Amino acid sequence: EENDDCDKGFFCMTKTSGDTGDGVCYEFCVPNSPDQCQAGGGDCIPFNDGVLPICQTACDPLIQDCPSGMGCYAAFDNFVCARPGYDDGKGNDGDDCYTIQSCLPGNVCVSADSLDACTGGDACCTPICDLTGTDPCSTPEECTPWFEAGSEPPGLEDVGACTIPA
């Protein structure tokens, strides 16, 4: 069954992989090649272990600077604008999650073993936080760096998430 009405060279990304219904058309690309992502800009990000390289726009999760209707979500070693995919009434701190977009913008989906109160499954949503600001997290969680020291994308050095420090 055909459920992708994007133009040739584009991929329809829906709320959850394999879903039908409303989605966003993203341009296919070749990672590490110059002059990619001409149609909508952005960076070539190799999803699904490199099998699905598509153009997406990098963003700052602390200010949620994506276009209307999009959220800034963790993807690989960066944050990108993506269509939110949380279920009605879900996506809040402590709710179970299963994809990068299944949390409300401003939250990230992390493994249950790094959280204090995650009873819904293997992973739950937790707030993104600013490492330079007042720690908004609830003890024993702390505003912990999202990226390993030295691996932060430019401008994202202050991004953290409320997790139990390792």
Side-chain angles (χ1 to χ4, degrees):
E1 175 184 344
E2 180 66 37
N3 64 359
D4 184 340
D5 60 359
C6 295
D7 286 343
K8 186 175 181 179
F10 289 78
F11 173 78
C12 183
M13 186 175 287
T14 53
K15 180 172 107 167
T16 306
S17 182
D19 265 6
T20 57
D22 290 343
V24 177
C25 296
Y26 290 107
E27 184 179 10
F28 283 114
C29 54
V30 179
N32 304 315
S33 294
D35 300 323
Q36 292 290 303
C37 305
Q38 296 298 306
D43 300 304
C44 188
I45 299 178
F47 286 94
N48 295 1
D49 296 325
V51 175
L52 182 62
I54 55 175
C55 297
Q56 288 205 277
T57 303
C59 55
D60 185 334
L62 296 174
I63 58 175
Q64 292 291 321
D65 54 350
C66 293
S68 177
M70 305 284 269
C72 186
Y73 291 100
F76 303 98
D77 56 357
N78 210 327
F79 280 81
V80 298
C81 294
R83 183 189 178 117
Y86 53 88
D87 295 325
D88 287 344
K90 294 283 205 165
N92 297 293
D93 184 14
D95 288 343
D96 61 315
C97 53
Y98 46 91
T99 68
I100 64 167
Q101 303 113 289
S102 58
C103 296
L104 287 164
N107 291 329
V108 288
C109 186
V110 299
S111 173
D113 58 11
S114 62
L115 299 172
D116 180 44
C118 178
T119 57
D122 295 334
C124 286
C125 301
T126 194
I128 295 168
C129 52
D130 187 336
L131 296 168
T132 63
T134 303
D135 190 335
C137 309
S138 301
T139 305
E141 295 176 3
E142 297 175 13
C143 189
T144 307
W146 184 257
F147 300 101
E148 287 186 31
S151 72
E152 309 93 336
L156 299 184
E157 297 85 0
D158 298 338
V159 175
C162 293
T163 60
I164 298 171

